[in-house]
C-alpha cells in the first residue's frame, strides 16, 4: 500500500500506481522536492499547465509518534520562481498515511472555467464540480463547514481560498484542523498553483483505513516514549510554547534587539507589552469563553503551541496565531492592538493568504505611502477585499516584492521575492545566512538559527557576530530538510537538540517503523540530498549565487539598538552551501 | 576637451576630469555599458544609492553627419535588473558633443526630500533646487516650457516626469526635442533611477561651444554625402518612414500575420485600416492645422519618421507617435480609435512612461479583467492618474510583469520582466531570438530582425521558419550595438544594409572625424565587445541562459493565421550568444 496517485486536470484522468522505486524511503519534503525536480520543467510558468503540485505525508505521519502529523506540499512557487516545500498541520497527512498514499499529484489544467473538488477515499479518487456557494468569494471558514457537511464531518480538507481562486501570489493552501478551524501551507503562493489548476478543494476520507504498518511495534513504542519525554522535559518545547504560543518570542526578540520594526528600521519597540505572548496568554485566560491556551494543530501534538484567541465577548476569533504574524502587523507595521491583529489574522486565514508575506507587504506599503502607519482597520478592510480583490488588495496580495516595485522603493525586505520574517538578519546573523541561502526564498523555518543565536538551544552563538554562523546555518538547514521529511513538526528540534537520547529516539522510531537501521549519518545525508535536489532545480530555473543575497540596504543601514549591519561578504555567504 | 563629468547627489559634489584612458574611442552605448559594468555593483538595488546613471553622445554626435544626434543613457534597470542602454533623439546629444562632454554621470542619492535641477553650461555644472511648480504632478509638456523660460529657449532638457518622481518601473526619461515637444529614452525605467536620485531635470546649454573637431573635414563631408544618398535612395529609409512614420508597419505586420492581437492570441486584425500608417498620414493631411507628416527627432535627421498628430480642430496632440505604441493600444489592447490612441500617447509622454511597456501592460490587464477590452477612455484616465498614482495606475505603471503577478496570469508577454513589443515571436522568429537573448530584456531595437524577416532589407529569411535566424539575430545584435555607439539612429541600417557604399561611408565618417583607420572588422569587434560587456554585467547580476527564454505559452499556443508556435530549443537559442 504505497500508492502514488496522479490527477490530471487537463484530461480529468486519475492514475494510481505503486510509488516509483526511485522514491523508496522518501517522504515529506524529500519526496515532494525529488518529484518536483524530476517532473517539473524549471523554467515553466508556475501558473501554467506544466507546473505540478504534490502532497506527501512525512515518513512517520499516521503513526502514534508525537508531533508527526505534518504534511509537505511541493511545487514550483509563483512567488519566488524557486522550488517550494510548505508544510502544515491539520488532518491531511495522517489520513493519507493511514490510507497508504505516499503521494498525491495534481497536474495539467482544465480549459473550462469551472472549479472542482477532488475526493479521495478508500474506493479511489473522484472529481466533482465544486459547490457553487463556495466559489467566488466564500471565506474558508464557511467553505470548510459546507464541505464537511457535504463530505462528512471527519474528512480532511485542503482548500484553495478566494485569494487562490484569483491566483494571487501570496495565496496559501488552507487545511482543516481537528476542530474545523484553519491551518496553512503558507508560503510561496501554492494556493495560486492549486487555483490555476481549478482545484477548489481536495477532500480526504480515511474511513476504513487501517493503522500504518510498523515493523517492530514494541521498539516503536519504546522510542516514542523517550522522544515524548525529551520534548516535554524541554523548557521551550514542553512549557514556553504551550503557555505563550510562538508569540513568546516578542519579548525575547525585542530584548535581543532583533525585532524588525517600522519596515526594518529598528530592532526594538517600546510597546512590546501590547503584543507579547505574555499578554496574549493573559488576554485569553482573562476573557474565557472559547479562548484556549495550548492547542495542537494535529492529533498527537504534545507541544501545543497554538492558541485560540477570543474576542471581548469570549467568542473564537482565530487560532494558529503565530509570532511572525503578530510581529509583522504589530511591530513592523506598527498596529498596536492585539484584537485588531487577531481579526486581521482571521481574515487572512479566511481569504487564504500567507500571513507573513501580507504583514511584511503591508509594512512596506506603509513606507510606500499606500497605507497609513499602524492603521489596523485599513489593513483589515484590505485583507477582506482580497476575496474579490480591489487594485490595492491585489498589490498587497502580490507580496512584498510587488509592493516595492509599484512604490519604487529600495528598502524591500525580500530574498528571491519572498518576504523576510520576524528576525532581523543584522542582529540575528545566523538567520540572515539562512534567509540568503535557503532554496525557498527568505524563510525562517528553513534553518531556524534563532535557536542557537537567541534561545541558546542546541548551540550558543553570539547573534551579533559572524563567528560560527556559516557552519551553523548549514547544519540547521540540513537538519531541517531531514526533519521536514519525517512529518515531524519543526519544533521537535527544541526537544532533541540538547538531548542525544531524544534525537536517537527519533531515529529509532524510523527504524522500528520501516525495519531499517539508519544512523544519524544517514539523517544528515538525507538532509543534504534534499537540499542538493532543491538547489539543482533552482539552478536550472536560473538561480545563481547572485540571488543568495540579502537586500542591499541591510549592508549600509545600521540597525538600532546595536547599530549593526549585515557584514557577511558574498564569498562567506556562498560557503553555506559549500558541501 | 574630452570631459567626463560626475555629479554626486549624496554630497552634491561635482567633478570634471578627462575621460579615463580605458574609455578612449568609445561613445554612446559602448561607453555607457562599459561604465555601468565597471562601476555599478551588479547586485545593487537599481533604485538605491549604489546605482549610477550615465549620459553619453555617440561617436558621431554633434557633427553634420545625417541622423547622428542620438544620446545613449545607461544604468542598471529597475524594471529588468539587467544593464540598460536607452537611446533617444532630442537636443542633448549634439549639445554634449559640441561642449566636449563625452559622459555625464549621476551617482549617489540625497537624504532630503527635495528635487533638483542640474545645469550644465560652458562654465561648468551647478545644482539648483527644482522650481516647485514642476514637482508633484506637473506634466512634462508644461515642465519643459517652465524650464525653457527659466534657463533659455534653446537649452536641451532631460526630464524626470511625474511617474519618475514616483519611481514607477515604467518611467522613462523625457527629452525636449527641437520644437519643445517630447522624445523619450523609453525602456527599462531609467526615469525611476533619475527620480530616485532626486534629479528632476538636467538642463544643458551649449552657448559658446565650438564645432566638434574633425580630423579631415573634406573626407568627412564627402563620406557624409555618400551616406545621405544611401539613406535617401532607400524605399524604407528615404520614403516609407517619412510618409507614414513607423506606423507604416501596421499593414505590413498584419499582412504577415505577425501583429500580436488581444494579448498575443492572434497575429492579425480586420480593422487595420483604423490604425494603419496610411490612415495616420491621411488623417494628418486632411486635418491640416498643426499636424505634420515627416518630422525629425533631432537636427540633421533626414529620415524624418516622426509625425505630428493633430486633433479634429487641427491642434497638435502628439509626436513620436510610433508603430509600437499604436500597435499595443490599437491591436493588442483593441482600442479601435486613432484619436484616443493619440491622446493616450500624449498622456504617456506627459507623465513620462514607456509607451510600449504601458500598452502591453494594458492589454495584459485587460486579459486579467482589470480594464475592459478596448476601453480607450479608461486607459487614458489611468495614464493621467500616473502623475499622482492610484493603486490601479501603479499596477499598470509597474509594467507587464507586475500586471501578470497581481492578476495571476501565465500569459504574460515579457522577457526579463520587460514587455515584448509589436512583432509576434512565433511568426517573426528572428525577432523572437532577439527578444529572448538580448541583454536588455525584450527589445525589438536590440536586433531588428523584422528587417530581413519581413521587410527583406539586408537579408531574405522566411519569418515562419527557423533556418538562418540564429546567425541573423546574432549579426543584427552585434551590428546594432555598434550603431548605438555612433549616435546614429537605428534606421540608418535600412540605408546601409543593402548599400556597401553607404556602410563604408559610415566607417569613413568615423575615420575622418577621429583620424583613425577602422575597418568593418573593427565595427563588428566593437559590437561584440559591447554585447560581451553587457552580458558580463548581467551574469554577475544573476542572469543565466535560463533567463534567455520566451514565456512558455508561446511554445504551446499556435498563433493564427499561420498557426505557428515558438519552436526553437533552448540549445538553439543559446547559440545566438555563442561568439
Amino acid at each position: 500500500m504505497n500508492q502514488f496517485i496522479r490527477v490530471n486536470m487537463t484530461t480529468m484522468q486519475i492514475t494510481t500506481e505503486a510509488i516509483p522505486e526511485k522514491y523508496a524511503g522518501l517522504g515529506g519534503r524529500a519526496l515532494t522536492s525529488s518529484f518536483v525536480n524530476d517532473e517539473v520543467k524549471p523554467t515553466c510558468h508556475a501558473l501554467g499547465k506544466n507546473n505540478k503540485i504534490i502532497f506527501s505525508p512525512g515518513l512517520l505521519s499516521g503513526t502514534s509518534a508525537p508531533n508527526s502529523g505534518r504534511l509537505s506540499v511541493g511545487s514550483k512557487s509563483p512567488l519566488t520562481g524557486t522550488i517550494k516545500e510548505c508544510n502544515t498541520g491539520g488532518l491531511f497527512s495522517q489520513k493519507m498515511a493511514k490510507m497508504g498514499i505516499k503521494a498525491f499529484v495534481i497536474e495539467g489544467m482544465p480549459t473550462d472555467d469551472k472549479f472542482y473538488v477532488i475526493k479521495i477515499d478508500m474506493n479511489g479518487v473522484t472529481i466533482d464540480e465544486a459547490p457553487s456557494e463556495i466559489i467566488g468569494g466564500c471565506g474558508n471558514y464557511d467553505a470548510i463547514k459546507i464541505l464537511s457537511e457535504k463530505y462528512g464531518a471527519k474528512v480532511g480538507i485542503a482548500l484553495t481560498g478566494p485569494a487562490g481562486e484569483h491566483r494571487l501570489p501570496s495565496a496559501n493552501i488552507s487545511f482543516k484542523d481537528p476542530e474545523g478551524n484553519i491551518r496553512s501551507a503558507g508560503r510561496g503562493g501554492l494556493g495560486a498553483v492549486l487555483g490555476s489548476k481549478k482545484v477548489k478543494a481536495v477532500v480526504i476520507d480515511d474511513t476504513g483505513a487501517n493503522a500504518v504498518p510498523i515493523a517492530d511495534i514494541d521498539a516503536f513504542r519504546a522510542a516514542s516514549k523517550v522522544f515524548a519525554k525529551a520534548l516535554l522535559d524541554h523548557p521551550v518545547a514542553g512549557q514556553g510554547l504551550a503557555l505563550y504560543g510562538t508569540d513568546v518570542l516578542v519579548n525575547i526578540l525585542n530584548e535581543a534587539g532583533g525585532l524588525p520594526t517600522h519596515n526594518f528600521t529598528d530592532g526594538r519597540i517600546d510597546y512590546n507589552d501590547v503584543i507579547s505572548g505574555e499578554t496574549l496568554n493573559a488576554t485569553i485566560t482573562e476573557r474565557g469563553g472559547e479562548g484556549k491556551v495550548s492547542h495542537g494543530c494535529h492529533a498527537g501534538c504534545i507541544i501545543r503551541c497554538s492558541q485560540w484567541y477570543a474576542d471581548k465577548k469570549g467568542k473564537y476569533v482565530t487560532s494558529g496565531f503565530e509570532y511572525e504574524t503578530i510581529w509583522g502587523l504589530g511591530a513592523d507595521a506598527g498596529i498596536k492592538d492585539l484584537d485588531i491583529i487577531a481579526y486581521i489574522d482571521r481574515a487572512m486565514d479566511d481569504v487564504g493568504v500567507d500571513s507573513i508575506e501580507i504583514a511584511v507587504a503591508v509594512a512596506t506599503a506603509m513606507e510606500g505611502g499606500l497605507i497609513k502607519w499602524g492603521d489596523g482597520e485599513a489593513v483589515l478592510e484590505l485583507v477582506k477585499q482580497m476575496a474579490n480583490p480591489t487594485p490595492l488588495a491585489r498589490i498587497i496580495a502580490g507580496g512584498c516584492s510587488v509592493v516595492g516595485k509599484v512604490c519604487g522603493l529600495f528598502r524591500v525586505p525580500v530574498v528571491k521575492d519572498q518576504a523576510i520574517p520576524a528576525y532581523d538578519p543584522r542582529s540575528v546573523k545566523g538567520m540572515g545566512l539562512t534567509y540568503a541561502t535557503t532554496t525557498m526564498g527568505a524563510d525562517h523555518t528553513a534553518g531556524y538559527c534563532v535557536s542557537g543565536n537567541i534561545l541558546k538551544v542546541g548551540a550558543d552563538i553570539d547573534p551579533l557576530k559572524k563567528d560560527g554562523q556559516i557552519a551553523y546555518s548549514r547544519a540547521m538547514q540540513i537538519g531541517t530538510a531531514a526533519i521536514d521529511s519525517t512529518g515531524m513538526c519543526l519544533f521537535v528540534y527544541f526537544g532533541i537538540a540538547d538531548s542525544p537520547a531524544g534525537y536517537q529516539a527519533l531515529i529509532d522510531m524510523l527504524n522500528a517503523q520501516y525495519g531499517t537501521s539508519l544512523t544519524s549519518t544517514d539523517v544528515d545525508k538525507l538532509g543534504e540530498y534534499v537540499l542538493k535536489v532543491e538547489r539543482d532545480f533552482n539552478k536550472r530555473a536560473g538561480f545563481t549565487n547572485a540571488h543568495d543575497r540579502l537586500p542591499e540596504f541591510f549592508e549600509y543601514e545600521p540597525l538600532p539598538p546595536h547599530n549593526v549591519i549585515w557584514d557577511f561578504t558574498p564569498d562567506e555567504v556562498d560557503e553555506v552551501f559549500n558541501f
Side-chain angles (χ1 to χ4, degrees), chain A residues 275-469:
Chain A
I275 59 169
S276 72
E278 290 78 353
T279 300
L280 182 68
N281 175 300
T283 307
I284 294 172
T285 308
E286 182 193 312
R287 287 180 179 176
E290 293 172 346
K292 200 187 287 188
V293 171
S294 178
H295 166 257
C297 74
H298 64 276
C301 168
I302 59 173
I303 295 177
R304 304 175 67 78
C305 72
S306 177
Q307 321 275 314
W308 281 26
Y309 192 82
D311 66 14
K312 285 174 182 155
K313 294 179 179 162
K315 197 168 152 35
Y316 170 92
V317 178
T318 193
S319 55
F321 192 28
E322 306 290 355
Y323 160 65
E324 286 77 12
T325 313
I326 296 171
W327 152 76
L329 297 168
D332 204 38
I335 299 171
K336 299 170 188 169
D337 181 333
L338 201 50
D339 280 337
I340 190 104
I341 293 173
Y343 288 123
I344 296 169
D345 188 60
R346 181 191 174 89
M348 291 193 286
D349 285 348
D350 209 36
V351 299
V353 289
D354 173 19
S355 62
I356 295 177
E357 193 64 38
I358 296 300
V360 179
V362 157
T364 309
M366 287 172 175
E367 174 162 329
L370 297 183
I371 308 170
K372 221 178 85 189
W373 280 108
D375 188 346
E377 294 290 347
V379 174
L380 178 59
E381 177 56 29
L382 267 171
V383 171
K384 288 180 176 173
Q385 286 174 8
M386 290 173 192
N388 289 293
T390 57
L392 185 53
R394 284 185 190 272
I395 289 172
I396 306 298
C400 185
S401 181
V402 163
V403 170
K405 285 251 178 199
V406 304
C407 292
L409 301 175
F410 65 87
R411 302 187 70 269
V412 187
V414 297
V415 178
K416 301 179 182 75
D417 286 339
Q418 184 166 281
I420 294 178
Y423 315 89
D424 199 290
R426 288 163 289 191
S427 50
V428 192
K429 290 191 192 292
M431 227 32 264
L433 287 175
T434 297
Y435 294 151
T437 60
T438 162
T439 51
M440 298 286 149
D443 179 356
H444 62 297
T445 70
Y448 191 67
C449 296
V450 175
S451 187
N453 277 210
I454 304 290
L455 305 174
K456 309 303 182 191
V457 174
D460 183 354
I461 296 173
D462 186 336
L464 303 176
K465 297 223 170 95
K466 298 202 285 184
D467 309 66
Q469 302 283 18

